[in-house]
């Protein structure tokens, strides 16, 4: 398989250079095409801003596109580990692809920082394959906690639920309902496929249950359909979404039908509206300004912030390994790098503060989640609304 470098500019200048003894080689697998491209392109855009060094050493980035195909992701990572001898891998963007890589990571003893969301990527932490995996996006449970607290604060008593008829929707149902603790009652549950063109039947059943609010557990543009249908059919109460909607395409497709939507999000998505007391704001704003300088106003997303955060994690960990005198390109370096990522403490990235441990390979706490809303076609901080 040929290398596929997905962007030009400063990275292309060193992506093709020969590797010296001191070079740190980073393999990247993203979904720049296929169904997850709306996420993968955001990751790729942030990667174009990555500095030319890691831990003070020159870095070489090898970027491959898996086309949102699990088998291709596995082939890409096998190439990166066997032919390119990478020291670390960043990506993929999807949970299925990440889980398919566990055996390769274990065999080659290569650390990976995933850009996919499900907690199943890093749990159980004592699994031999997951020992090598870390991830940037918040666990659904953390976002569900913030969402439930907001619903209770708003005085809601009853909730309707409609989610994807797949692992995303099922996991959100599990995480959401397991945390209710009697504070809210789910009075109706419906599901839909990502490819559905109509959810009128589900919407009418939800409306007939007369919930105080409705949660749509979907991601990307398919999550627009239930919300638009509910509003078209006269539902006037609040509609909540999950952090999976955080793409520019969701805003473009949803238009006025998603105005006022409430959703949990990483602070980096709504950096400008955060209070100055927020511990993440300075780092989030630094990334937002870098990103928007290249891609335009209001273009920074959760997924772009996660990719920038992955570089920060790798940079700090590589620096600590280099100080030990261990050279890149060796199994000793990969093992030491895994250990140092696992030893990440109080590290601020655009979407939260990381404290990674052997038992927690995600590492975010409540500082990684705030409430956002959609106003004038933009993702903004919901504040104390």
């Amino acid at each position: 398989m040929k290398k596929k470098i997905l962007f030009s500019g400063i990275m292309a200048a060193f992506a093709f250079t020969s590797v010296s003894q001191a070079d740190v080689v980073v393999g990247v697998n993203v979904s720049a095409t296929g169904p997850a491209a709306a996420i993968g392109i955001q990751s790729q855009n942030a990667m174009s801003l990555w500095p030319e060094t890691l831990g003070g050493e020159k870095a070489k980035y090898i970027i491959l596109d898996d086309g949102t195909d699990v088998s291709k992701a596995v082939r890409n990572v096998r190439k990166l580990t066997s032919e390119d001898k990478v020291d670390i891998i960043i990506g993929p963007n999807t949970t299925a692809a990440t889980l398919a890589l566990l055996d390769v990571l274990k065999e080659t003893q290569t650390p990976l920082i995933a850009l996919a969301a499900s907690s199943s990527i890093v749990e159980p932490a004592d699994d031999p394959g997951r020992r090598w995996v870390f991830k940037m996006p918040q666990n659904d449970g953390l976002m569900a906690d913030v969402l439930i607290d907001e619903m209770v604060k708003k005085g809601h008593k009853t909730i309707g639920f409609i989610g994807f008829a797949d692992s995303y929707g099922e996991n959100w149902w599990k995480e959401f309902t397991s945390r209710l603790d009697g504070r809210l009652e789910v009075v109706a549950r419906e599901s839909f496929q990502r490819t559905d063109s109509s959810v009128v039947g589900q919407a009418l059943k939800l409306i007939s249950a007369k919930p105080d609010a409705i949660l749509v557990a979907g991601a990307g543009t398919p999550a627009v359909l239930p919300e638009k249908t509910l509003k078209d059919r006269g539902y006037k109460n609040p509609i909540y979404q999950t952090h999976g909607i955080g793409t520019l395409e969701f805003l473009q497709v949803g238009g006025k039908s998603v105005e006022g939507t409430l959703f949990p999000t990483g602070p980096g998505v709504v950096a400008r509206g955060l209070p100055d007391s927020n511990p993440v704001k300075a780092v989030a704003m630094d990334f937002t300004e870098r990103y928007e300088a290249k891609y335009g106003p209001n273009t920074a997303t959760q997924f772009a912030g996660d990719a920038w955060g992955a570089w920060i994690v790798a940079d700090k960990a590589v620096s600590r390994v280099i100080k030990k005198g261990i050279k890149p390109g060796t199994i000793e370096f990969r093992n030491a790098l895994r250990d140092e990522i696992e030893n990440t403490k109080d590290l601020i990235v655009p979407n939260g503060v990381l404290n990674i441990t052997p038992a927690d390979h995600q590492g975010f706490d409540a500082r990684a989640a705030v409430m956002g809303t959609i106003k004038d076609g933009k993702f903004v901080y919901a504040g104390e609304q």
Side-chain angles (χ1 to χ4, degrees), residues 2-264:
K2 296 181 179 179
K3 295 180 185 178
K4 185 173 183 181
I5 302 299
L6 299 177
F7 47 78
S8 59
I10 63 167
M11 293 182 66
F14 58 87
F16 294 98
T17 58
S18 61
V19 182
S20 70
Q21 188 178 20
D23 285 345
V24 180
V25 185
V26 180
V28 179
N29 183 94
V30 293
S31 298
T33 57
I39 296 172
I41 290 171
Q42 294 294 309
S43 301
Q44 175 186 322
N45 287 348
M47 291 168 186
S48 72
L49 304 174
W50 283 353
E52 298 184 14
T53 60
L54 269 177
E57 299 295 320
K58 186 177 180 182
K60 177 185 179 182
Y61 303 107
I62 301 171
I63 318 294
L64 302 179
D65 173 22
D66 65 21
T68 322
D69 180 85
V70 171
S71 60
K72 188 172 182 181
V74 174
R75 293 196 300 272
N76 283 350
V77 170
R78 286 202 176 277
K79 176 192 179 299
L80 291 168
T81 54
S82 63
E83 296 179 25
D84 300 303
K85 308 296 182 184
V86 298
D87 296 298
I88 185 172
I89 295 167
I90 294 177
N93 291 115
T94 66
T95 295
T98 308
L99 293 175
L101 302 177
L102 296 180
D103 286 342
V104 181
L105 304 174
K106 180 176 64 175
E107 292 167 10
T108 61
Q109 298 182 43
T110 306
L112 176 144
I113 302 175
L115 301 175
S118 175
S119 58
S120 64
I121 291 170
V122 293
E123 297 174 357
D126 58 358
D127 176 83
R130 290 176 175 85
R131 180 175 183 271
W132 296 92
V133 181
F134 306 86
K135 78 180 183 76
M136 297 306 300
Q138 301 90 333
N139 290 336
D140 290 343
L142 177 62
M143 293 307 206
D145 283 337
V146 173
L147 199 53
I148 292 167
D149 288 346
E150 180 72 10
M151 291 175 171
V152 171
K153 185 174 73 174
K154 290 286 179 59
H156 304 320
K157 302 295 184 183
T158 58
I159 302 295
F161 181 100
I162 179 169
F164 282 160
D166 60 19
S167 59
Y168 187 91
E170 286 296 327
N171 193 62
W172 256 96
W173 171 255
K174 180 187 74 173
E175 297 290 354
F176 183 73
T177 56
S178 69
R179 288 168 160 77
L180 294 180
D181 195 28
R183 294 177 291 169
L184 298 166
E185 179 188 0
V186 178
V187 294
R189 180 191 179 186
E190 297 293 327
S191 63
F192 69 109
Q193 301 289 342
R194 294 173 188 250
T195 54
D196 281 350
S197 59
S198 172
V199 292
V200 171
Q202 297 98 312
L204 291 176
K205 290 178 182 178
L206 288 168
I207 293 170
S208 68
K210 300 181 179 179
D212 295 334
I214 292 174
L215 170 60
V216 179
T221 54
V224 171
L225 181 62
E227 182 164 359
K228 184 177 187 304
T229 304
L230 285 163
K231 289 179 177 177
D232 287 347
R233 294 286 165 166
Y235 188 74
K236 301 296 184 183
N237 291 351
I239 294 177
Y240 294 81
Q241 294 264 4
T242 72
H243 60 306
I245 67 169
T247 67
L248 302 180
E249 288 78 6
F250 179 87
L251 297 175
Q252 293 163 358
V253 172
K256 292 183 178 179
S257 66
V258 297
E259 279 285 306
T261 301
L262 291 161
F263 65 105

Side-chain angles (χ1 to χ4, degrees), residues 364-375:
F364 279 146
D365 57 23
R367 293 172 291 182
V370 298
M371 286 301 299
T373 188
I374 297 174
K375 183 178 181 181

Side-chain angles (χ1 to χ4, degrees), residues 302-324:
Q302 165 91 32
F303 310 107
D306 285 340
W308 182 257
W311 181 88
I312 295 175
V313 172
D315 178 61
K316 299 300 183 185
V318 167
S319 177
R320 295 193 295 270
V321 176
I322 293 294
K323 288 177 181 177
K324 296 178 179 179

Side-chain angles (χ1 to χ4, degrees), residues 333-354:
F333 185 88
R334 297 197 298 276
N335 273 271
L337 184 53
R338 191 217 73 87
D339 292 348
E340 287 300 337
I341 295 173
E342 193 175 75
N343 195 38
T344 298
K345 297 290 184 290
D346 296 320
L347 181 63
I348 302 175
V349 294
N351 283 315
V353 182
L354 287 168

